[in-house]
Amino acid sequence: MKLTMKGDYGLRAMLDMAAYYGQGPIESADIARRQYIPEQYLDQILMALRKEGLVKSVRGPKGGHLLARSPAEITMAQVMQALEGYVPPMECLPNPDFCKLSPGCALREVWQQIDAMTQQILSRTTIEALAQRHQIDNLETMYYI
């Protein structure tokens, strides 16, 4: 799996919204500033996340964006699927005909195992767990500065 800037920015935006979960909508400009994401690109990412039902948008003077459900119910796999789709570590995984060596390839077997383990980790890692670890890490860093 290759993580693009879109996936990275999307995960950072989700972490930001998780940190403020239950406090109402957050303006995209605030998320962009805190997470160092270009605001126009963030708007595109938030639109994709909204289409997948992971983010809600509220219009108006007190509007903004918020998680569509609890961060405990949203996994990294869902965010990555919404933004990247399935990205295999090797092209031969979804398409064995891509490589003439695929039928008996020992390397392909290893790539399949790596892909399965990656998907398991993404599926069991919630945005809430990440947000909790992220906040703890940031607090520890603040004390050592």
Side-chain angles (χ1 to χ4, degrees):
M1 181 183 122
K2 181 179 182 189
L3 181 64
T4 66
M5 291 303 289
K6 185 176 186 179
D8 180 44
Y9 288 166
L11 287 167
R12 285 198 264 157
M14 295 295 282
L15 285 175
D16 194 276
M17 288 182 280
Y20 295 92
Y21 184 70
Q23 298 179 25
I26 305 163
E27 292 184 26
S28 58
D30 292 336
I31 298 169
R33 180 180 38 77
R34 284 190 296 262
Q35 299 301 321
Y36 304 100
I37 302 171
E39 192 174 352
Q40 288 182 333
Y41 195 34
L42 176 61
D43 289 339
Q44 294 173 19
I45 291 167
L46 291 170
M47 186 183 314
L49 293 169
R50 189 173 61 245
K51 285 181 183 177
E52 292 298 319
L54 299 174
V55 170
K56 288 182 184 178
S57 296
V58 178
R59 294 182 186 259
K62 295 194 181 214
H65 307 278
L66 61 157
L67 297 180
R69 55 186 188 268
S70 165
E73 298 173 16
I74 302 172
T75 66
M76 284 184 73
Q78 292 169 321
V79 176
M80 295 307 298
Q81 181 64 37
L83 297 174
E84 307 278 359
Y86 171 64
V87 181
M90 294 296 288
E91 188 62 37
C92 66
L93 292 184
N95 182 12
D97 294 335
F98 181 79
C99 177
K100 294 176 184 175
L101 300 174
S102 285
C105 181
L107 292 172
R108 185 169 187 269
E109 291 175 17
V110 173
W111 288 118
Q112 286 172 321
Q113 292 173 4
I114 290 169
D115 187 44
M117 292 174 106
T118 301
Q119 295 308 316
Q120 286 176 4
I121 292 167
L122 293 174
S123 293
R124 69 176 180 235
T125 305
T126 65
I127 296 302
E128 179 181 62
L130 287 172
Q132 288 171 348
R133 287 183 10 215
H134 186 71
Q135 290 174 352
I136 290 168
D137 290 346
N138 282 342
L139 288 175
E140 289 174 359
T141 303
M142 285 178 12
Y143 290 120
Y144 292 111
I145 294 177

